[in-house]
């Protein structure tokens, strides 16, 4: 890409009479006050700084194509007095400008889709953080009620001071966990704003629910085929290969073999060919890795749900045993802690499922994440 852009810059020196009008600054979009997932995606796709930069790069590439064509039409029938003029006549810079435009178009698409994926991740992370905080808030209430109950039993000589102290420690931990979770919600909201492309301290209300998607039905073999057609990395590598092959062809018509310029162009063409092959193989691998990550996430989530349900049952049993004098308050606290931990593991597993499914689809519709 850098090689293509360097040639496009040279066109500015070769082309005469092409003047760019200064465009007025775009109006600053109004900041949203309430966002759904669809609204967040739509806003980011239009206004995120990375998308705006990629869009500007595409506009520049379109100008480069026009300038390259203008230069080619102006000099194609004239005598060449140097290599740069000869390259213009042979359409080298026009080819490089065209490939640069295709790359810029694909980069804009990849950047936009990467931003959308980032918004989804931040949005789901925020909703997950909210659910965690709600769970811990209920957990604190339950723990406080248990402390009050144990205090009464201690006052009546039914349990030891150690049993009461254990419940009080659990209450302090529940309070600490809740406060940490609430801070996590605030941070997740800031990260969501950043992902959308709005200032982190701007007021924003988020609405939505956390739902577990069905696993995408696209078989991995079909996904691999689609990825080879859609991958931004492959298309970029292919366009760079075309540009470097053209450069080697034109260079070979002007410079003799074993000259530095000839060998340099030859090495560039060979390097681009290797890069294209690598892009194809990496895309294949990326699809299989994304599928494996997704499948593992669904398996883990299923196990996490089973474990959560089992731990909940164990907690209920421990409460019953405590009432019958078959378990101590510490046993109840341990069972409660295990149940809460299993619930938190479920949140983690659910988020992994949601993003695993999103990233698997991304792997064969777009390819890799822009800038990754």
């Amino acid at each position: 890409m850098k090689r293509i852009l360097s040639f496009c810059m040279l066109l500015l020196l070769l082309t005469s009479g092409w003047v760019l009008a200064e465009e007025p600054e775009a109006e600053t979009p109004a900041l949203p006050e309430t966002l759904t997932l669809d609204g967040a995606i739509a806003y980011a796709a239009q206004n995120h700084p990375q998308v705006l930069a990629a869009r500007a790069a595409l506009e520049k590439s379109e100008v480069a194509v026009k300038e390259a064509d203008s230069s080619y039409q102006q000099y194609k029938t004239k005598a060449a007095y140097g290599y740069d003029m000869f390259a213009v006549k042979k359409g080298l810079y026009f080819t490089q400008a065209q490939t640069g435009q295709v790359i810029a178009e694909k980069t804009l698409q990849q950047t936009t889709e990467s931003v959308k994926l980032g918004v989804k991740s931040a949005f789901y992370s925020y909703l997950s953080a909210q659910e965690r905080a709600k769970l811990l808030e209920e957990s604190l209430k339950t723990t406080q009620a248990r402390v009050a109950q144990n205090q009464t039993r201690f006052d009546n000589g039914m349990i030891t001071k150690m049993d009461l102290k254990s419940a009080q420690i659990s209450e302090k931990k529940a309070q600490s966990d809740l406060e940490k979770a609430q801070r996590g919600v605030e941070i997740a909201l800031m990260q969501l704003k950043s992902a959308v492309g709005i200032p982190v301290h701007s007021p924003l209300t988020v609405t939505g629910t956390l739902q577990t998607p069905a696993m995408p039905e696209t078989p991995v073999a079909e996904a691999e085929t689609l990825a080879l057609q859609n991958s931004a990395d492959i298309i970029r590598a292919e366009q760079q290969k075309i540009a470097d092959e053209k450069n080697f062809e034109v260079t070979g018509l002007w410079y003799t073999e074993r000259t530095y310029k000839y060998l340099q162009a030859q090495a560039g063409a060979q390097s681009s060919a290797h890069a294209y092959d690598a892009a194809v193989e990496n895309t294949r691998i990326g699809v299989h890795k994304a599928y494996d990550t997704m499948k593992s996430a669904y398996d883990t989530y299923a196990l996490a749900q089973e474990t959560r349900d089992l731990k909940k049952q164990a907690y209920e049993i421990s409460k019953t045993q405590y009432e019958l004098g078959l378990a101590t308050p510490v046993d109840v606290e341990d069972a409660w802690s295990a149940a809460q931990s299993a619930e938190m593991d479920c949140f983690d597993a659910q988020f992994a499922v949601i993003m695993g499914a999103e990233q698997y689809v991304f792997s064969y519709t777009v390819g890799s994440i822009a800038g990754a």
Side-chain angles (χ1 to χ4, degrees):
M1 181 63 178
K2 291 181 179 179
R3 292 196 292 272
I4 289 176
L5 291 177
S6 65
F7 283 115
C8 292
M9 290 298 294
L10 180 58
L11 289 171
L12 297 174
L13 302 177
L14 293 173
T15 307
S16 59
W18 197 279
V19 180
L20 288 177
E22 184 176 350
E23 296 184 0
E25 293 186 6
E27 294 184 3
T28 302
L31 297 179
E33 296 182 358
T34 302
L35 274 184
T36 61
L37 176 59
D38 290 341
I41 291 173
Y43 183 91
Q46 291 298 319
N47 304 295
H48 195 281
Q50 292 180 9
V51 175
L52 297 179
R55 193 175 297 146
L58 175 58
E59 293 172 357
K60 291 178 182 179
S61 73
E62 292 169 346
V63 170
V65 170
K66 293 178 181 178
E67 292 193 350
D69 183 54
S70 175
S71 181
Y72 174 69
Q73 297 301 328
Q74 182 179 355
Y75 291 104
K76 66 180 180 179
T77 59
K78 296 182 180 180
Y81 298 104
Y83 175 74
D84 288 333
M85 188 70 69
F86 178 74
V88 171
K89 286 169 57 65
K90 292 299 182 181
L92 172 60
Y93 299 145
F94 182 60
T95 297
Q96 291 174 328
Q98 285 182 313
T99 56
Q101 182 178 352
V102 174
I103 289 174
E105 288 171 350
K106 197 61 182 178
T107 298
L108 173 58
Q109 179 195 2
Q110 182 189 28
T111 300
T112 302
E113 294 304 317
S114 296
V115 165
K116 289 180 180 179
L117 184 63
V119 169
K120 291 177 182 179
S121 177
F123 194 92
Y124 294 134
S125 180
Y126 173 69
L127 294 181
S128 181
Q130 281 189 316
E131 292 299 319
R132 287 169 177 272
K134 290 178 183 177
L135 175 66
L136 290 173
E137 187 174 359
E138 291 302 315
S139 175
L140 176 60
K141 292 178 181 178
T142 300
T143 304
Q144 289 172 335
R146 197 159 54 245
V147 168
Q149 181 187 53
N150 285 349
Q151 181 67 58
T152 300
R153 295 194 173 197
F154 174 74
D155 293 340
N156 293 330
M158 299 174 64
I159 62 174
T160 67
K161 187 172 183 179
M162 181 176 294
D163 291 332
L164 175 61
K165 188 66 174 179
S166 176
Q168 292 172 336
I169 292 174
S170 294
E171 180 185 7
K172 291 180 180 178
K173 184 178 184 304
Q175 180 67 50
S176 176
D177 289 344
L178 174 59
E179 291 173 357
K180 181 179 179 180
Q182 290 171 335
R183 294 194 299 271
V185 171
E186 294 176 359
I187 293 171
L189 180 58
M190 295 175 71
Q191 290 173 327
L192 173 58
K193 293 175 185 178
S194 178
V196 173
I198 61 179
V200 296
H201 292 301
S202 59
L204 182 67
T205 300
V206 179
T207 60
T209 57
L210 200 62
Q211 297 180 339
T212 306
M215 189 165 69
E217 297 180 353
T218 306
V220 68
E222 181 182 341
E224 182 180 325
T225 300
L226 291 171
L228 295 178
Q229 299 170 1
N230 300 322
S231 169
D233 291 340
I234 290 178
I235 292 174
R236 267 198 301 270
E238 180 183 38
Q239 293 300 310
Q240 185 66 62
K241 180 171 172 282
I242 292 171
D244 286 345
E245 286 175 347
K246 182 68 174 179
N247 179 51
F248 180 46
E249 173 194 333
V250 174
T251 301
L253 295 174
W254 184 266
Y255 293 97
T256 59
E257 294 185 19
R258 309 310 302 172
T259 60
Y260 176 79
K261 287 290 187 181
Y262 180 91
L263 294 176
Q264 183 183 48
Q266 183 182 54
Q270 292 172 344
S271 176
S272 294
H274 293 319
Y276 173 76
D277 292 340
V280 170
E281 294 306 305
N282 288 337
T283 296
R284 293 181 189 275
I285 294 170
V287 170
H288 284 267
K289 288 177 67 176
Y291 179 82
D292 176 68
T293 298
M294 176 190 68
K295 184 63 170 62
S296 297
Y298 274 90
D299 292 343
T300 299
Y301 183 49
L303 291 173
Q305 288 177 301
E306 290 184 18
T307 301
R308 176 198 60 193
D309 295 342
L310 183 64
K311 295 298 182 182
K312 283 183 177 180
Q313 293 175 12
Y315 170 60
E316 294 300 326
I317 291 172
S318 71
K319 287 197 300 181
T320 300
Q321 290 177 331
Y322 175 63
E323 295 297 332
L324 296 174
L326 301 175
T328 67
V330 174
D331 294 330
V332 176
E333 294 296 334
D334 289 344
W336 171 252
S337 178
Q340 292 298 291
S341 178
E343 190 74 54
M344 290 300 176
D345 288 343
C346 261
F347 283 128
D348 290 338
Q350 183 185 36
F351 180 77
V353 160
I354 293 171
M355 293 312 302
E358 292 284 355
Q359 289 168 349
Y360 176 57
V361 175
F362 191 92
S363 73
Y364 61 80
T365 56
V366 180
S368 64
I369 297 173

